[in-house]
Amino acid sequence: STGFRFAEKSGEALYANVCQACHMPDGKGARGAGTYPSLAGAQNLAARGYPILVVVNGQRAMPPIGLMMTDDQVAAVINYVRTHFGNTYQDAVTSDEVKSVRP
């Protein structure tokens, strides 16, 4: 990616380029200079609105990376995380849901 927007389109590519540096390739998070929560088997991903708010607005040490993504990209990466790493949430997040929480 170049500039202020991510170029990747698929949830898998976005996760690999944007998220895995902190949440790790296996989604299990890390501890070190900070604490990066596990996304593997994460029950807080069950409520679709929660990860949308976190990705778009940021939370604690996580920056609002969704500001550098389109609504489709945010939905794609959230849907990827919600269906991988031991997560089986099949009710997909839509780009309209993402758009509704934008500032």
Side-chain angles (χ1 to χ4, degrees):
S1 297
T2 59
F4 295 104
R5 292 280 184 189
F6 293 107
E8 297 76 13
K9 300 293 181 202
S10 75
E12 182 176 18
L14 285 159
Y15 184 85
N17 187 49
V18 182
C19 310
Q20 80 176 9
C22 296
H23 295 287
M24 301 292 112
D26 61 4
K28 292 184 178 177
R31 292 188 184 272
T35 301
Y36 305 96
S38 175
L39 301 174
Q43 293 180 355
N44 59 357
L45 296 175
R48 294 183 344 212
Y50 176 75
I52 296 170
L53 288 171
V54 172
V55 172
V56 171
N57 298 314
Q59 183 177 32
R60 296 187 196 110
M62 183 172 157
I65 60 171
L67 297 178
M68 295 179 281
M69 296 180 187
T70 66
D71 297 340
D72 288 334
Q73 288 172 309
V74 171
V77 75
I78 291 171
N79 289 328
Y80 176 78
V81 170
R82 292 181 78 233
T83 57
H84 289 76
F85 314 117
N87 300 311
T88 58
Y89 306 111
Q90 298 298 316
D91 54 330
V93 167
T94 68
S95 58
D96 285 339
E97 289 174 297
V98 175
K99 184 177 184 174
S100 74
V101 302
R102 294 266 187 203

